[in-house]
Amino acid sequence: MSVRVAVLGAAGYTGGEVLRLLLPHPALEVVQATSGQFAGKRLDFSHPHLRGMGTLRYTPHDALATCDVLVSCLPQGELLQRWPKVCRLAERVVDLSADFRLDAEGHARWYGKHPRPEDVPAFVYGLPEWMGEALPGARHVAIPGCMAHAGLLALLPLLHAGLARPDLLVVDAKTGSSGGGSAPDRASHHPERANALRCYKPVGHRHTGELEGVAERVTGQRPTIHFSATAVAGVRGILATVHAFAARPVDEAEVVRAIATRYREKPFVRLLRPSASLSPFPEPGPLLGTNHCDLAVDVDAERGRIVVNAAIDNLVKGAAGTAVHVLNLMLGRPEAEGLGFRGLHPL
């Protein structure tokens, strides 16, 4: 029997990608998708790429019915408002917002006082490559932020192996316009964004708290991470560049070995080698639509600097794809099930 899945807030970009991945999934059945704006319309009314994938129609948020799994794609803060009702409707909940990513103290610092701190400990942080052992059987999971996700996949192996100083780490993330969501504002308006190349959050980005908090969970020591976000002209994709400083003398082979060992059994993280490809530097383009993260390492041994680049599709590996990956693990399914799309080249 298929697992019945409802998607709350399904009309946005992330919701569209969740639906694209779930509708053909062999073990999951989408039984409901909600929208505050398009109730009564078919899913392909707002998602043209879903044409021909069934006749399901949006229902209002307040008409959400019981289901086995609820995937919430609501904007920041909206699931919290609905949580007392929503938590009773589904045995399992996967949230793609930041409502339950941080502990109550971290949430208060970066987002404001958490209205339901007693519910936060029930959520597992959904980074499968590092929190995978906690996901089978989990009831509530919070999916990482997209830029934090890319940064963590590049950074955590260095800290876990003791290769990088935890007191001086820089993560610089470049992101396309879809990361701002489907609701337009002046900054995302096409004439403002089409040829953008601007650092819109040099300091104080909320993902800083997520990066530091997760790194502390993995290593037992809270690092100091300097995070900046830059808008680029593309629609989809993130390139995160991690600059770390070696805790002791290291060469590139040792760093490569640490990362390769960590991700050897992880199906969606790939370490690129210069000798093995005409395109050895990670870039989002070939990854669009996929649940993969590509990494590459460079080491300046003379100056003790380690650089790791990580590329992902922000809407898939950074959101919907990881939600499906997490669901597979929660339900005891093969972790790559429904996530076989390999990308396109050239674009």
Side-chain angles (χ1 to χ4, degrees), residues 262-283:
R262 177 66 208 186
Y263 293 131
R264 182 170 293 130
E265 304 300 324
K266 309 302 180 184
F268 297 115
V269 180
R270 304 181 297 202
L271 181 60
L272 306 185
R273 308 292 181 91
S275 61
S277 175
L278 290 174
S279 303
F281 295 102
E283 55 178 318

Side-chain angles (χ1 to χ4, degrees), residues 190-318:
H190 180 73
E192 304 286 342
R193 194 64 163 78
N195 295 306
L197 182 58
R198 61 174 179 266
C199 189
Y200 66 90
K201 199 68 176 177
V203 299
H205 197 288
R206 289 170 168 176
H207 282 349
T208 306
E210 188 176 347
L211 287 160
E212 292 182 342
V214 175
E216 182 179 17
R217 247 184 278 180
V218 168
T219 67
Q221 181 179 7
R222 192 172 188 88
T224 299
I225 298 175
H226 305 276
F227 179 79
S228 295
T230 297
V232 297
V235 174
R236 297 168 75 128
I238 288 170
L239 178 65
T241 303
V242 169
H243 300 268
F245 293 86
R248 54 177 173 75
V250 296
D251 59 20
E252 186 169 311
E254 183 178 3
V255 179
V256 166
R257 189 162 53 249
I259 295 176
T261 299
R262 177 66 208 186
Y263 293 131
R264 182 170 293 130
E265 304 300 324
K266 309 302 180 184
F268 297 115
V269 180
R270 304 181 297 202
L271 181 60
L272 306 185
R273 308 292 181 91
S275 61
S277 175
L278 290 174
S279 303
F281 295 102
E283 55 178 318
L287 302 176
L288 300 188
T290 83
N291 196 49
H292 285 95
C293 172
D294 281 351
L295 302 174
V297 174
D298 288 276
V299 175
D300 183 345
E302 181 181 351
R303 292 171 173 81
R305 184 165 66 105
I306 304 168
V307 180
V308 184
N309 278 291
I312 64 171
D313 181 337
N314 58 297
L315 295 179
V316 186
K317 181 59 173 167

